C-alpha cells in the first residue's frame, strides 16, 4: 500500500496487461502505464523514486477496461524499424533514414548488433502522424535546408533518444540529487568532473545513476556503440546538460545538503534533443536561411 493505494510489482503488472517484458518497459517509459516509486524494501514508498517502481492497481483496472484491450494498448507502443517505417509511410528506406537523421521524428528504443551497429526503433504512431502532417516530405526532392544539414554530417537520432530518456527519468523524481544524476548520466566523464568538482558529489551521482537503456552487448564493438549512444557529444548538447547539471547541483546543495532524499522541485528547461524548430514549421520546405549552427 502507498497512501492507501494498492500496487502491483512490475512483473505482475506486465502479466495482467498481457505485455511482454520489453513492451511493458517501453509502456512505462512512455507514460502509457503509470508507475509509482517503491521503497528500498520493494514496497511502495517515497524513497528512491528512480529505483524500483510499482504499478497502481487502479491503473491496471483502467487499462483493462479500455476498448480493444490488450491490442489497443499494444498498438500504442508498437515500434518499427527503418524498413518497417518506410513501408508504413509508403516511401523508400533511404528517405526514412534521411528524415530521421534530420530529426523529423526520433527513436524510442535501440539495440546494438554483434557488429556494433546501432539499430533504431521508432514508435509506429509517431511515424504515421509525421507522414500525415508532412506529406510534402514524403516525395520530391529533399528540401535544401535539410540537404545542407545532412551533407554536413548531422545525425539527430542518438541526441533525440537521449533527450526523450532524460525527460522520462526527470519526470519520475522530485529529488534534486536524483535529478542531477539523470543529467550527469549523459555527460562525458571529463565534462561531469568539470561541473561537479567535489569527488564526493561525483561518487554520489554515480551511485544514483539511473538505468538509461536495457541493451545486451556481446562484443567490444557493441559495447562501444552502446556507450556512444548514451553519451552527449555535440558541443551545444553538452553545454545544455552542463548548464542544467550546474543548476540542479545548486538546488541539491541548498535544499538537501546533508542527505539525499529531501524532495525538491527539479529545474525545468527546454529539452536539448529537439531538432531545429524549422523542421516542424510549415515554411520548412522553402526556408533555407534558418540552418542550425554547430560550434
Amino acid at each position: 500500500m502507498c497512501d492507501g493505494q494498492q500496487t502491483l510489482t512490475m512483473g505482475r503488472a506486465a502479466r495482467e496487461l498481457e505485455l511482454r517484458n520489453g513492451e511493458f518497459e517501453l509502456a512505462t517509459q512512455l507514460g502509457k502505464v503509470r508507475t509509482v516509486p517503491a521503497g528500498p524494501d520493494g514496497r511502495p514508498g517515497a524513497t528512491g523514486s528512480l529505483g524500483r517502481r510499482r504499478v497502481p492497481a487502479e491503473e491496471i483496472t483502467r487499462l483493462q477496461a479500455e476498448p480493444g484491450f490488450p491490442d489497443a494498448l499494444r498498438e500504442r507502443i508498437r515500434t518499427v524499424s527503418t524498413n518497417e517505417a518506410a513501408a508504413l509511410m509508403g516511401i523508400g528506406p533511404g528517405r526514412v533514414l534521411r528524415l530521421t537523421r534530420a530529426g523529423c521524428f526520433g527513436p524510442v528504443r535501440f539495440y546494438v548488433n554483434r557488429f556494433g551497429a546501432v539499430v533504431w526503433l521508432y514508435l509506429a504512431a509517431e511515424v504515421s502522424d509525421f507522414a500525415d502532417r508532412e506529406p510534402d516530405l514524403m516525395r520530391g526532392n529533399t528540401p535544401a535546408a535539410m540537404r545542407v544539414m545532412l551533407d554536413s554530417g548531422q545525425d539527430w537520432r542518438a541526441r533525440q533518444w537521449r533527450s526523450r530518456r532524460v525527460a522520462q527519468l526527470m519526470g519520475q523524481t522530485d529529488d534534486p540529487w536524483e535529478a542531477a544524476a539523470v543529467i550527469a548520466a549523459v555527460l562525458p566523464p571529463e565534462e561531469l568532473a568539470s561541473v561537479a568538482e567535489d569527488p564526493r558529489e561525483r561518487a554520489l551521482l554515480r551511485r544514483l545513476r539511473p538505468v538509461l537503456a536495457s541493451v545486451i552487448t556481446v562484443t567490444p564493438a557493441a559495447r562501444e556503440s552502446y556507450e556512444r549512444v548514451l553519451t552527449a557529444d555535440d558541443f551545444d548538447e553538452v553545454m545544455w546538460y552542463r548548464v542544467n547539471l550546474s543548476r540542479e547541483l545548486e538546488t541539491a546543495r541548498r535544499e538537501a545538503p546533508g542527505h539525499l532524499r529531501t524532495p525538491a522541485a527539479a529545474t525545468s528547461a527546454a529539452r536539448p534533443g529537439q531538432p531545429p524548430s524549422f523542421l516542424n514549421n510549415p515554411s520548412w520546405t522553402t526556408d533555407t536561411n534558418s540552418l542550425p549552427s554547430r560550434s
Side-chain angles (χ1 to χ4, degrees), residues 12 14 16-17 25 29 58 62-63 67 82-83 97 99 108 142 148 162 171 188 199 218 253 268 284 288:
R12 171 70 183 280
E16 291 288 334
L17 295 175
E25 180 184 53
Q29 290 177 357
E58 64 180 22
R62 179 186 71 82
L63 291 167
T82 298
N83 287 343
L97 179 59
L99 291 172
V108 292
T142 300
V148 171
R162 286 188 292 269
V218 296
R253 293 164 186 150
S268 61
W284 150 243
T288 60

Side-chain angles (χ1 to χ4, degrees), residues 101 124 129-130 149 170 183 228 231 240 245 254 259 283:
R101 285 182 56 207
D129 287 346
F130 176 80
M149 280 181 59
M170 291 286 281
I183 300 172
R228 239 187 344 259
T231 308
W240 190 95
L245 175 59
R254 182 177 65 252
H259 55 89
S283 63

Side-chain angles (χ1 to χ4, degrees), residues 177-252:
W177 287 108
E178 287 186 345
V182 171
I183 300 172
V186 298
L187 276 173
E190 65 277 9
E191 299 289 347
L192 171 59
S194 69
V195 177
E197 297 181 356
D198 188 332
R200 295 171 300 175
E201 290 186 348
R202 293 199 300 275
L204 172 57
L205 295 176
R206 284 193 296 270
R207 183 165 69 82
L208 293 176
R209 179 188 174 103
V211 175
L212 295 177
S214 302
V215 174
I216 298 174
T217 55
V218 296
T219 65
R223 183 68 190 180
E224 182 179 347
S225 295
Y226 168 76
E227 293 293 344
R228 239 187 344 259
V229 170
L230 301 190
T231 308
D233 53 4
D234 283 347
F235 176 82
D236 59 330
E237 183 190 12
V238 169
M239 289 303 297
W240 190 95
Y241 285 121
R242 281 179 56 100
V243 169
N244 281 275
L245 175 59
S246 179
R247 291 174 178 170
E248 207 62 59
L249 286 173
E250 289 177 4
T251 300

Side-chain angles (χ1 to χ4, degrees), residues 42-53:
R43 296 182 60 82
T47 302
S49 56
L50 292 180
R52 300 177 66 180
R53 299 181 71 83

Side-chain angles (χ1 to χ4, degrees), residues 67-201:
F69 173 85
D71 293 339
L73 175 58
R74 286 201 189 101
E75 182 59 25
R76 291 201 295 273
I77 59 173
R78 180 168 67 93
T79 58
V80 293
S81 65
T82 298
N83 287 343
E84 291 168 330
L88 195 60
M89 302 168 83
I91 59 178
R95 182 170 287 262
V96 173
L97 179 59
R98 291 174 71 82
L99 291 172
T100 56
R101 285 182 56 207
C104 293
F105 54 91
V108 292
R109 305 200 86 172
F110 73 95
Y111 65 90
V112 185
N113 65 25
R114 63 192 180 95
F115 302 107
V118 177
V119 180
W120 296 105
L121 299 173
Y122 306 89
L123 204 60
E126 291 182 357
V127 171
S128 296
D129 287 346
F130 176 80
D132 292 339
R133 190 173 65 249
E134 298 287 353
D136 290 344
L137 292 178
M138 300 300 104
R139 58 184 182 274
N141 295 328
T142 300
M146 183 187 291
R147 191 164 56 249
V148 171
M149 280 181 59
L150 295 173
D151 289 347
S152 70
Q154 291 198 46
D155 187 339
W156 282 77
R157 290 173 294 179
R159 179 168 176 160
Q160 286 190 299
W161 179 84
R162 286 188 292 269
S163 173
R164 190 194 296 258
R165 190 69 183 114
V166 166
Q168 290 164 351
L169 290 165
M170 291 286 281
Q172 291 180 0
T173 185
D174 59 2
D175 181 294
W177 287 108
E178 287 186 345
V182 171
I183 300 172
V186 298
L187 276 173
E190 65 277 9
E191 299 289 347
L192 171 59
S194 69
V195 177
E197 297 181 356
D198 188 332
R200 295 171 300 175
E201 290 186 348

Side-chain angles (χ1 to χ4, degrees), residues 25-39:
E25 180 184 53
L26 181 59
T28 59
Q29 290 177 357
L30 295 175
K32 307 298 184 183
V33 177
R34 184 171 65 88
T35 64
V36 295

